[in-house]
Amino acid sequence: MIERADINNVLMQMRSLKAEAQQGVVHVDKPAFKTDSVRSVDGEGFGDLLKNAIDKVNDTQMEAGRMATAFEQGDPRVELTQVMIQMQKASVSFQAMTQVRNKLVAAYEDVMKMPM
């Protein structure tokens, strides 16, 4: 799952860009933002960060499915409580990913509506 600090960092950058755009036109010779600040500390791009988060959500859902199948088949090593916890983890991570996607789409739409 995406770390909360990473999401907050991206949202903070988007808000600052929005505030700059609302204050007035940025001069052409002055860059609107530094591309270095958008990249994470590890050197990953935003696309890589998003892909890794989606992969982790998928892994969580696949593990929940495997545990549910093992429980249904009567595997004595898998308890119902473990299955339910894993299913809740998968559900919460998917809901969080959906909310992040909704925020990104809304931010993209806001940027696209800005006058040039």
Side-chain angles (χ1 to χ4, degrees):
M1 191 171 193
I2 298 175
E3 292 183 18
R4 191 159 200 53
D6 294 335
I7 294 170
N8 289 334
N9 187 18
V10 171
L11 289 174
M12 197 168 56
Q13 290 173 2
M14 293 169 90
R15 287 182 183 128
S16 69
L17 289 174
K18 181 180 177 183
E20 286 178 13
Q22 289 175 344
Q23 289 176 356
V25 179
V26 178
H27 297 290
V28 175
D29 58 342
K30 178 182 164 188
F33 60 91
K34 297 176 185 174
T35 57
D36 295 339
S37 65
V38 176
R39 299 190 193 284
S40 68
V41 177
D42 298 337
E44 285 185 0
F46 181 73
D48 293 334
L49 182 69
L50 198 57
K51 182 185 180 314
N52 290 340
I54 292 170
D55 289 342
K56 287 180 184 178
V57 170
N58 185 47
D59 291 343
T60 304
Q61 289 181 329
M62 296 296 285
E63 179 63 24
R66 281 192 291 272
M67 287 182 77
T69 302
F71 179 77
E72 290 168 357
Q73 293 175 347
D75 189 347
R77 295 173 293 177
V78 180
E79 296 180 18
L80 179 61
T81 55
Q82 293 173 324
V83 174
M84 296 306 294
I85 290 171
Q86 190 63 32
M87 295 292 279
Q88 285 298 314
K89 284 181 183 179
S91 176
V92 168
S93 64
F94 183 77
Q95 289 173 2
M97 182 188 68
T98 303
Q99 292 299 320
V100 169
R101 186 218 44 198
N102 292 344
K103 291 288 186 181
L104 288 173
V105 169
Y108 174 77
E109 289 172 350
D110 288 345
V111 169
M112 295 307 293
K113 291 178 185 175
M114 289 182 188
M116 288 291 205

